Amino acid sequence: MNTIELMKQKLAALEPVVIRIADESARHAGHEGAKAGGGHYLLTIVSHQFISKSALARHRLVYDTLREMMHKNIHALSVKAYTPEEFDSIH
C-alpha cells in the first residue's frame, strides 16, 4: 500500500466527507527531509467531526490520526480541515 492509500485508510477514522491528498514531494527534491524518504503532502479533509472545533483542534485530530506515519512516511503535511458547511461555502 502506498503512502497516500495508507493515509486515507487511517483518516477514515475521522469519517471524511471529502478527502484529497496531493503528493508534493517532487517540489521538495533535495530538501533535507526528502533525503530521509518522507514525503511532502497537501491534505484537504472535510468532516462533521470538525464542527465546533478550532483550526488547532482539527489539525491535532489529523496529526494524532497519522502519528505513526509522521517523520517516517510523511516529512511534511499541510492540512486544510473544513466542516461540510465551510467547504460548501468556498466551493
Side-chain angles (χ1 to χ4, degrees), residues 8-75:
K8 286 181 177 181
Q9 182 182 54
K10 291 186 177 302
L11 291 167
L14 299 179
E15 301 171 330
V17 176
V18 174
I19 187 166
R20 297 179 187 150
I21 304 172
D23 185 344
E24 297 186 329
S25 300
R27 296 177 57 198
H28 300 275
H31 179 265
E32 193 62 34
K35 293 177 186 175
H40 289 242
Y41 298 93
L42 172 60
L43 168 66
T44 301
I45 185 167
V46 180
S47 174
H48 291 281
Q49 291 190 27
F50 298 146
I51 295 172
S52 300
K53 289 188 173 49
S54 68
L56 181 60
R58 296 172 188 192
H59 285 224
R60 282 185 180 147
L61 275 173
V62 169
Y63 278 91
D64 286 348
T65 303
L66 297 175
R67 179 179 318 208
E68 66 188 44
M69 296 182 72
M70 298 305 297
H71 306 292
K72 188 167 110 183
N73 308 84
I74 302 168
H75 171 71

